[in-house]
Amino acid sequence: MEASSSGITSGKTKIFHPEGGVDLQGYQLDMQILPDGPKSDVDFSEILNAIQEMAKDVNILFDELEAVNSPCKDDDSLLHPGNLTSTSDDASRLEAGGETGPERNKSNGLYFRDGKCRIDYILVYRKSNPQTEKREIFERNIRAEGLQMEKESSLINSDIIFVKLHAPWEVLGRYAEQMNVRMPFRRKIYYLPHRYKFMSRIDKQISRFRRWLPKKPMRLDKETLPDLEENDCYTAPFSQQRIHHFIIHNKDTFFNNATRSRIVHHILQRIKYEEGKNKIGLNRLLTNGSYEAAFPLHEGSYRSKNSIRTHGAENHRHLLYECWASWGVWYKYQPLDLVRRYFGEKIGLYFAWLGWYTGMLFPAAFIGLFVFLYGVTTLDHCQVSKEVCQATDIIMCPVCDKYCPFMRLSDSCVYAKVTHLFDNGATVFFAVFMAVWATVFLEFWKRRRAVIAYDWDLIDWEEEEEEIRPQFEAKYSKKERMNPISGKPEPYQAFADKCSRLIVSASGIFFMICVVIAAVFGIVIYRVVTVSTFAAFKWALIRNNSQVATTGTAVCINFCIIMLLNVLYEKVALLLTNLEQPRTEPEWENSFTLKMFLFQFVNLNSSTFYIAFFLGRFTGHPGAYLRLINRWRLEECHPSGCLIDLCMQMGIIMVLKQTWNNFMELGYPLIQNWWTRRKVRQEYGPERKISFPQWEKDYNLQPMNAYGLFDEYLEMILQFGFTTIFVAAFPLAPLLALLNNIIEIRLDAYKFVTQWRRPLASRAKDIGIWYGILEGIGILSVITNAFVIAITSDFIPRLVYAYKYGPCAGQGEAGQKCMVGYVNASLSVFRISDFENRSEPESDGSEFSGTPLKYCRYRDYRDPPHSLVPYGYTLQFWHVLAARLAFIIVFEHLVFCIKHLISYLIPDLPKDLRDRMRREKYLIQEMMYEAELERLQKERKERKKNGKAHHNEWP
């Protein structure tokens, strides 16, 4: 294939064949085309300068191709085929009664009064606001930058003024070049590797087989939604000097609405409103109240009278609602390219991560459900639960002082069976699987993010120079030093001042963690006090299930405390973060995120840690109980074990928290928007139908969270922790998380499309600090699951009994037949006459055998009362303890080795993506070489023509 420096196509697909040559299906050009979008560090202005002559040929073909070249995926003209003058998003495609385009645009609230200038940004202020002078200077400077402006008063409140801003083509082009906005300039080509005949035959057979299979139901229907057709284009930083190289069908739609709003916001952030170097930017005016709100407009209504399948989408918002936010498409894949085009890369990456996380939950939920069903199917064959249910002659000691009665071990038959559902032979395998799953999830997300970053032109994107926070400037404006990057003076925070603030902030964090521990201590006291109260309750149902009732009510109270403390923690985290005085907004966001996650993680999981690792571990034994403040006896585990308490804690907290979060995310904005509409109806009368312009409709919607996507990420990260950290005790956690996330995706989509104002489209390369938090949770999950299996569950004691003390001791077997006698061996004997006075029960146990009981049993490995050392630890206790410690060490090292091995084996970049990037770099270097060679040849011809040829010239 002969190579040159430029190329263009008639809108038809171009394919490189391994044998050489280029098939243009209509044009046969001797030109080299760039692959898969230029995303390298090459300066394209030098390349285009070198091929200026060939650009003339391109211009000759440009007029012919403009009408047939299909638009790229960022072109808004896709919404109304054939209408290339402007994108009238909220209007119907059918014009009414000879109404012209501008006339139609006037009525939809997306344009100025002339119906030609599209509204790119809205500012809102009140006439009664005293900051009039600052606004006037700011708006005068807005006009000086070339932005066009109109003002409208609100239909509801004449005190509210809407400022409509429009950026003309010249302003958009100038700032797009300054911001290095990447725009499409060439259609992509695809390299087809050579296929052997044998492989081609296999592909044909597979294709024939697939015809008999049903179509993939989760894929979006591209025939009924033509706007989803992806016409990949090469992109390059926009340049006004090279404008003829870009695919421009219409200047009004070349920059999509999200890009236009981002450019206008960029301009507003750099406009002065007062004399002084720090008196600049829209954010400061919003902070001091000069403006009440600032937002880009939604592209019209998200509803339409006509079906999208028959009449097409009215606008991008309508399209997103129908194929993304509607409940009818809950099983479909997300249209991430549409999300990115409408809301920007940052929000698009969040939904890409959420979709990836939800998809990865499918295998985890399936295996967790399998573990649970395995426990159900093996329940009738479980020797331990059989012995518990048949132990009618074993009398257990009371679990609390005085009021708690003696009870048969067989009374806990139901709890023993429920425990087996979660604590069975597959639990260890599932814990290992989930630890590996967490690593695989993170590693494959890195690969997925790399593909998304490549497709969305984020590989070489770097954040703009970070803007200093106004609060930092106001605090340290007297101290300045030179910025080593920009070379400009900027406020400076002394090292001693920074350290002192960090120490105070760390002390505040430590104090709030102590508050959490105090709350957990209060729950512990509630449990130990209430179990005695419920044991003396009048109702037999509660009296006979006092421990379960205590656990259930304690969990509900704990949830209420968690939600109340979350409100306090947000205010404290905000106070401590502002006290630290971070220099830039990203630093502020990272500091606030870390504090809020730490607070909420400790708040949510502290009681779970107590139940998993401390409940029933330090209670002492009958006759010598350990007590709080020498008064309250510490709570014991249920006779069937402590795992049932942990399962209840996780299940109730997980369900309640997810339900509450979903209500607050959707229900609260719905109620607020309904209340706003109700006030309007009361003011104007229900019989009068008011048609509000789009800016008024959007103003009455709820603004996006002040912390951006923080709440959405935090909710999912905490859920990820719940799903992985204690998953060995609750295998159904991934299934609950999966069901919640399927709803969560559509809830968030519905909220963004219908209930919130349109957020400003912003760019991001990844999910930020949250990825590091996810890695930390993955490491913590390995440790906690090792301790849950070794300490909380009875897996290790059963294993030790089977191999050392059971009927199969020394035979190397551990089946159900080897567990005969395990329950009796795990219970110790206590003489009732050895009870303390304050612990002695009111009943003497005569209701069981007709005579007062002399002995009762309790869960522990201790010697009987008549031994040389009464109630001392037996040898079996030390064997179990040693086995538990050994299991923790072996489990952690094994799982960590597997995690690191998987991390090493899975590359961060997929092989095909790496090959595409390498091939792109290679072809760009070849193009540069050809351009340089052509330049030298041209100079040689000119020298010969002028009679200045030299010998030994190259080439």
Side-chain angles (χ1 to χ4, degrees):
M1 181 182 65
E2 297 182 9
S4 184
S5 310
S6 179
I8 199 163
T9 170
S10 62
K12 301 179 177 65
T13 306
K14 303 171 289 297
I15 301 176
F16 280 139
H17 295 278
E19 292 81 4
V22 182
D23 180 14
L24 294 181
Q25 301 181 12
Y27 292 96
Q28 188 67 34
L29 300 179
D30 186 16
M31 298 179 181
Q32 175 85 2
I33 311 294
L34 288 174
D36 292 348
K39 303 178 181 67
S40 64
D41 296 328
V42 178
D43 186 356
F44 290 95
S45 61
E46 296 180 5
I47 300 171
L48 297 175
N49 278 329
I51 58 173
Q52 191 68 30
E53 291 299 322
M54 290 197 174
K56 297 178 180 178
D57 297 333
V58 174
N59 288 329
I60 294 173
L61 290 172
F62 184 76
D63 294 333
E64 299 178 17
L65 303 179
E66 186 173 4
V68 295
N69 218 355
S70 59
C72 292
K73 59 187 176 184
D74 284 335
D75 194 346
D76 289 357
S77 62
L78 269 171
L79 293 172
H80 299 283
N83 179 16
L84 296 178
T85 56
S86 64
T87 306
S88 182
D89 296 316
D90 196 36
S92 173
R93 290 191 299 273
L94 300 175
E95 298 182 2
E99 219 177 12
T100 61
E103 290 296 326
R104 184 178 72 250
N105 293 338
K106 288 180 183 179
S107 62
N108 61 24
L110 298 174
Y111 290 81
F112 278 17
R113 297 188 190 97
D114 60 5
K116 297 179 181 179
C117 298
R118 186 178 184 90
I119 300 173
D120 296 321
Y121 211 79
I122 292 290
L123 302 177
V124 186
Y125 70 89
R126 293 182 180 269
K127 288 190 293 186
S128 57
N129 190 288
Q131 307 280 356
T132 306
E133 185 178 354
K134 293 180 180 179
R135 279 199 309 270
E136 290 178 351
I137 297 175
F138 187 71
E139 291 171 4
R140 193 183 310 126
N141 291 334
I142 287 176
R143 294 189 183 94
E145 287 291 333
L147 296 178
Q148 298 177 13
M149 181 187 303
E150 270 188 2
K151 292 187 178 182
E152 296 272 356
S153 60
S154 171
L155 297 178
I156 303 174
N157 187 350
S158 59
D159 188 45
I160 298 176
I161 304 298
F162 296 95
V163 181
K164 301 178 288 186
L165 300 178
H166 168 75
W169 169 259
E170 295 76 15
V171 177
L172 291 172
R174 183 171 70 251
Y175 277 94
E177 188 170 1
Q178 292 180 13
M179 296 168 63
N180 290 322
V181 177
R182 302 184 71 92
M183 301 302 297
F185 78 97
R186 197 103 8 104
R187 291 289 305 278
K188 282 187 179 180
I189 58 174
Y190 298 93
Y191 176 77
L192 296 181
H194 180 71
R195 305 281 295 183
Y196 293 99
K197 292 183 179 180
F198 175 73
M199 297 300 296
S200 300
R201 291 174 183 173
I202 293 179
D203 288 342
K204 290 180 180 179
Q205 296 297 329
I206 294 176
S207 299
R208 290 178 182 175
F209 175 72
R210 284 178 178 173
R211 292 175 187 172
W212 297 94
L213 298 176
K215 293 183 179 180
K216 295 182 178 179
M218 293 184 292
R219 293 195 180 278
L220 294 165
D221 190 353
K222 293 186 179 181
E223 294 180 0
T224 56
L225 300 176
D227 194 44
L228 294 178
E229 293 179 359
E230 294 184 10
N231 298 311
D232 294 334
C233 299
Y234 301 118
T235 61
F238 181 76
S239 171
Q240 289 183 308
Q241 294 180 350
R242 315 296 176 208
I243 195 172
H244 54 277
H245 288 285
F246 293 90
I247 301 174
I248 304 179
H249 303 287
N250 188 336
K251 290 184 178 180
D252 292 336
T253 59
F254 178 61
F255 296 103
N256 63 34
N257 296 327
T259 304
R260 295 172 69 99
S261 301
R262 185 157 57 93
I263 292 173
V264 173
H265 181 79
H266 176 86
I267 297 172
L268 297 178
Q269 290 295 89
R270 286 153 180 80
I271 292 180
K272 284 192 173 184
Y273 59 85
E274 225 176 52
E275 290 300 326
K277 65 178 181 180
N278 296 330
K279 309 296 184 179
I280 184 174
L282 175 63
N283 283 349
R284 290 180 173 85
L285 290 176
L286 290 171
T287 303
N288 62 31
S290 299
Y291 287 100
E292 192 171 292
F295 52 89
L297 284 180
H298 278 296
E299 297 181 9
S301 174
Y302 62 89
R303 294 186 183 274
S304 175
K305 298 179 180 178
N306 303 317
S307 171
I308 191 174
R309 297 185 178 277
T310 57
H311 292 74
E314 295 291 335
N315 51 67
H316 286 144
R317 190 186 185 193
H318 179 215
L319 183 62
L320 278 173
Y321 177 78
E322 292 291 341
C323 69
W324 182 48
S326 175
W327 292 106
V329 294
W330 64 270
Y331 59 94
K332 297 281 189 181
Y333 291 132
Q334 298 184 85
L336 294 177
D337 285 330
L338 281 178
V339 177
R340 171 242 185 172
R341 176 172 58 187
Y342 194 82
F343 292 110
E345 286 80 2
K346 193 170 186 177
I347 294 176
L349 270 173
Y350 163 71
F351 282 102
W353 176 83
L354 180 57
W356 185 258
Y357 171 46
T358 304
M360 289 292 291
L361 278 173
F362 273 96
F366 176 77
I367 300 297
L369 183 61
F370 170 78
V371 172
F372 179 78
L373 294 178
Y374 173 81
V376 173
T377 56
T378 59
L379 184 60
D380 294 336
H381 307 286
C382 178
Q383 181 64 31
V384 176
S385 59
K386 280 183 181 179
E387 291 186 359
V388 171
C389 295
Q390 296 171 1
T392 56
D393 56 338
I394 297 180
I395 308 301
M396 302 298 295
C397 297
V399 295
C400 67
D401 293 337
K402 291 188 177 181
Y403 300 109
C404 290
F406 295 98
M407 59 180 294
R408 288 189 174 93
L409 180 59
S410 58
D411 292 342
S412 60
C413 175
V414 175
Y415 304 112
K417 290 182 177 180
V418 173
T419 300
H420 177 74
L421 300 180
F422 301 100
D423 184 15
N424 50 64
T427 303
V428 177
F429 159 75
F430 186 58
V432 175
F433 170 81
M434 287 303 296
V436 174
W437 173 86
T439 302
V440 172
F441 161 66
L442 293 176
E443 292 300 320
F444 275 96
W445 164 246
K446 285 194 289 188
R447 292 164 60 87
R448 174 65 176 156
R449 188 208 63 83
V451 173
I452 292 175
Y454 181 82
D455 291 339
W456 291 357
D457 291 322
L458 298 172
I459 292 291
D460 295 326
W461 177 79
E462 296 293 340
E463 292 188 17
E464 299 177 7
E465 183 181 351
E466 296 174 345
E467 185 179 354
I468 298 176
R469 296 177 65 245
Q471 295 85 345
F472 185 88
E473 286 183 337
K475 179 70 176 177
Y476 300 103
S477 57
K478 296 181 180 179
K479 296 181 180 180
E480 291 185 346
R481 73 172 183 179
M482 199 67 67
N483 188 311
I485 299 175
S486 63
K488 299 178 181 179
E490 66 177 20
Y492 168 69
Q493 182 182 16
F495 179 76
D497 180 74
K498 186 174 183 178
C499 287
S500 61
R501 291 178 179 274
L502 288 176
I503 291 173
V504 174
S505 178
S507 302
I509 294 173
F510 178 76
F511 173 76
M512 293 310 298
I513 292 177
C514 292
V515 172
V516 176
I517 296 174
V520 174
F521 185 75
I523 295 295
V524 172
I525 294 178
Y526 168 82
R527 293 174 70 108
V528 299
V529 171
T530 309
V531 69
S532 300
T533 305
F534 283 157
F537 213 73
K538 295 181 180 180
W539 295 349
L541 178 64
I542 295 179
R543 185 172 62 251
N544 297 334
N545 299 277
S546 59
Q547 284 188 297
V548 177
T550 300
T551 301
T553 54
V555 172
C556 294
I557 294 173
N558 184 36
F559 174 75
C560 296
I561 293 176
I562 287 173
M563 303 312 297
L564 290 174
L565 287 179
N566 282 344
V567 178
L568 174 64
Y569 290 154
E570 182 175 346
K571 298 183 181 301
V572 173
L574 192 62
L575 175 66
L576 294 178
T577 306
N578 290 331
L579 179 65
E580 291 178 7
Q581 290 290 351
R583 177 177 169 271
T584 62
E585 285 298 331
E587 291 179 6
W588 188 94
E589 289 179 3
N590 289 341
S591 178
F592 179 76
T593 297
L594 195 59
K595 290 181 182 62
M596 278 297 293
F597 168 76
L598 187 61
F599 287 156
Q600 295 215 19
F601 180 81
V602 174
N603 187 30
L604 187 65
N605 293 283
S606 54
S607 57
T608 311
F609 271 89
Y610 163 75
I611 294 174
F613 304 128
F614 297 97
L615 178 63
R617 302 285 177 262
F618 309 100
T619 58
H621 63 86
Y625 287 117
L626 298 179
R627 298 178 181 273
L628 285 175
I629 322 176
N630 198 28
R631 180 178 180 182
W632 293 299
R633 170 181 160 185
L634 290 175
E635 186 182 7
E636 292 185 41
C637 291
H638 198 273
S640 60
C642 294
L643 200 66
I644 188 67
D645 295 311
L646 184 57
C647 291
M648 289 182 61
Q649 172 81 13
M650 291 190 62
I652 294 176
I653 291 292
M654 198 168 184
V655 171
L656 288 179
K657 185 163 179 60
Q658 290 179 348
T659 304
W660 175 260
N661 287 338
N662 290 335
F663 169 76
M664 291 302 295
E665 284 187 3
L666 184 62
Y668 186 65
L670 277 173
I671 293 173
Q672 286 185 313
N673 291 332
W674 169 81
W675 183 256
T676 302
R677 292 192 298 268
R678 182 177 179 273
K679 289 194 298 184
V680 173
R681 286 196 301 268
Q682 287 179 346
E683 184 173 349
Y684 284 88
E687 69 283 351
R688 181 179 175 185
K689 186 175 181 181
I690 307 171
S691 178
F692 289 104
Q694 190 62 43
W695 56 81
E696 190 112 20
K697 294 177 183 177
D698 287 5
Y699 176 70
N700 290 327
L701 295 177
Q702 297 303 308
M704 189 178 176
N705 271 333
Y707 309 128
L709 293 168
F710 169 79
D711 288 338
E712 279 70 25
Y713 273 118
L714 180 64
E715 178 188 354
M716 289 296 103
I717 298 301
L718 292 175
Q719 184 206 83
F720 178 81
F722 243 74
T723 305
T724 55
I725 292 179
F726 293 104
V727 74
F730 192 58
L732 294 179
L735 179 62
L736 293 179
L738 174 63
L739 297 177
N740 174 79
N741 286 6
I742 292 174
I743 300 173
E744 180 76 22
I745 291 176
R746 304 305 161 181
L747 276 181
D748 284 348
Y750 185 82
K751 176 178 61 181
F752 272 94
V753 174
T754 68
Q755 300 302 309
W756 278 2
R757 296 174 191 163
R758 186 177 183 176
L760 182 70
S762 55
R763 309 198 85 190
K765 294 181 68 172
D766 48 36
I767 61 176
I769 193 175
W770 296 109
Y771 185 84
I773 293 175
L774 286 170
E775 286 188 323
I777 291 176
I779 294 173
L780 179 63
S781 67
V782 177
I783 301 172
T784 53
N785 282 307
F787 276 88
V788 167
I789 296 172
I791 296 177
T792 310
S793 75
D794 287 338
F795 174 76
I796 297 300
R798 290 198 300 262
L799 207 62
V800 171
Y801 178 81
Y803 283 102
K804 183 68 177 176
Y805 297 96
C808 304
Q811 299 178 13
E813 298 181 12
Q816 290 298 326
K817 64 178 183 179
C818 301
M819 298 304 298
V820 175
Y822 167 74
V823 172
N824 185 61
S826 63
L827 299 175
S828 300
V829 179
F830 176 73
R831 187 165 48 205
I832 295 177
S833 59
D834 294 337
F835 265 124
E836 300 172 301
N837 291 331
R838 53 182 172 177
S839 298
E840 189 172 356
E842 293 182 346
S843 172
D844 59 0
S846 57
E847 64 271 16
F848 295 104
S849 58
T851 58
L853 291 176
K854 294 183 179 180
Y855 299 96
C856 62
R857 310 291 293 273
Y858 62 98
R859 283 173 58 91
D860 209 342
Y861 297 101
R862 291 182 180 271
D863 292 322
H866 54 267
S867 61
L868 294 177
V869 183
Y871 308 118
Y873 287 118
T874 63
L875 183 62
Q876 188 175 355
F877 168 83
W878 300 109
H879 285 164
V880 171
L881 179 62
R884 282 173 167 166
L885 296 177
F887 175 84
I888 292 172
I889 295 172
V890 172
F891 181 88
E892 288 182 355
H893 283 71
L894 176 64
V895 175
F896 278 130
C897 288
I898 295 175
K899 285 170 66 72
H900 288 303
L901 179 63
I902 291 174
S903 301
Y904 175 77
L905 293 178
I906 300 177
D908 293 345
L909 289 177
K911 184 179 183 301
D912 59 339
L913 178 60
R914 189 185 299 110
D915 292 342
R916 289 166 64 190
M917 296 174 66
R918 288 176 178 175
R919 179 171 176 78
E920 176 181 313
K921 185 177 181 180
Y922 165 76
L923 290 178
I924 290 175
Q925 291 174 348
E926 289 290 313
M927 190 178 76
M928 293 179 64
Y929 170 77
E930 294 292 338
E932 182 66 18
L933 180 61
E934 189 173 341
R935 184 183 66 82
L936 293 174
Q937 288 176 345
K938 185 177 179 181
E939 291 180 358
R940 177 186 177 188
K941 289 179 182 179
E942 289 180 355
R943 284 195 295 267
K944 283 185 178 181
K945 185 177 180 181
N946 297 331
K948 297 181 180 180
H950 298 279
H951 297 289
N952 300 325
E953 272 191 275
W954 185 86

